[in-house]
Amino acid sequence: MSVDPHNPAPSATPTSANSAASDARRAWSLGTVLVVAVLVAGSPSLDAPWLMGDESRFIVGNPLVNPANVGNPGTLTQRLGEIFTTVHNDLYQPVPIATYTLEWAAFGGRAWATRLIDVLIHACNGLLVWLVLHELLCHATALRRSVSVVAWACALLWTLHPMSVDAFAADMGRTHMLSATFALLA
């Protein structure tokens, strides 16, 4: 019987159980550090007001998001349905607009809540980048522990890179963040 060095058979020894527990603790620790780093990096944007331009036009001034902009706003369910079925002359982004509508209903149009959710989406994307890189690198090498740290470091750089900050510092960057989320999940 041959043993594949890249996929050894699991053993029931206490040493392998301790090693698995240690790996799980390390993964949780690294994941926590990644999320906290994104929260710290994103915290300056949390108290920013709504920005003039796209945020005012597509979030605050959008009657499907902010029901105070129309005389008869309809129910939340009706507005969500309209987001996906109405022809939009300039911007058709139903998923981000639907998330803004849900946030407006839950938090009453508070900019900090929308910005916090953007930071959390970005943190989730950072975790997904780490997972994808880990899986890709594990197929390239048998050094799983080193791969985990290298993949984590790359994910940390990706989440904190100045080019990524625009995505969660301005709410209209949610389109890009959700696109990244769905691409990384695919």
Side-chain angles (χ1 to χ4, degrees):
M1 181 173 141
S2 66
V3 175
D4 180 0
H6 293 87
N7 192 10
S11 76
T13 64
T15 304
S16 66
N18 290 341
S19 177
S22 174
D23 288 348
R25 278 192 304 274
R26 182 174 345 134
W28 277 103
S29 297
L30 291 174
T32 300
V33 169
L34 186 74
V35 170
V36 168
V38 174
L39 289 171
V40 168
S43 64
S45 71
L46 296 180
D47 64 350
W50 292 111
L51 301 175
M52 296 306 295
D54 284 348
E55 287 184 357
S56 291
R57 183 173 178 205
F58 295 112
I59 301 173
V60 179
N62 187 338
L64 297 173
V65 174
N66 179 0
N69 288 331
V70 292
N72 184 9
T75 66
L76 176 62
T77 305
Q78 290 169 331
R79 290 196 325 270
L80 288 171
E82 197 172 331
I83 289 169
F84 289 93
T85 59
T86 302
V87 175
H88 299 266
N89 295 329
D90 54 0
L91 180 69
Y92 181 68
Q93 299 176 354
V95 175
I97 298 297
T99 63
Y100 294 134
T101 301
L102 291 169
E103 287 168 22
W104 199 281
F107 300 106
R110 291 178 177 85
W112 68 264
T114 299
R115 299 198 193 296
L116 177 62
I117 290 170
D118 285 343
V119 170
L120 293 174
I121 292 170
H122 189 65
C124 288
N125 284 347
L127 293 171
L128 288 171
V129 166
W130 179 27
L131 178 66
V132 168
L133 287 174
H134 184 270
E135 288 302 311
L136 290 173
L137 292 173
C138 277
H139 289 294
T141 182
L143 304 171
R144 290 187 66 84
R145 285 188 178 188
S146 299
V147 164
S148 183
V149 173
V150 168
W152 176 83
C154 291
L156 183 66
L157 288 173
W158 181 85
T159 56
L160 298 179
H161 193 279
M163 292 294 287
S164 297
V165 172
D166 283 347
F168 64 82
D171 289 316
M172 290 311 293
R174 181 167 304 177
T175 303
H176 307 294
M177 290 190 301
L178 289 175
S179 295
T181 301
F182 292 123
L184 290 165
L185 286 171

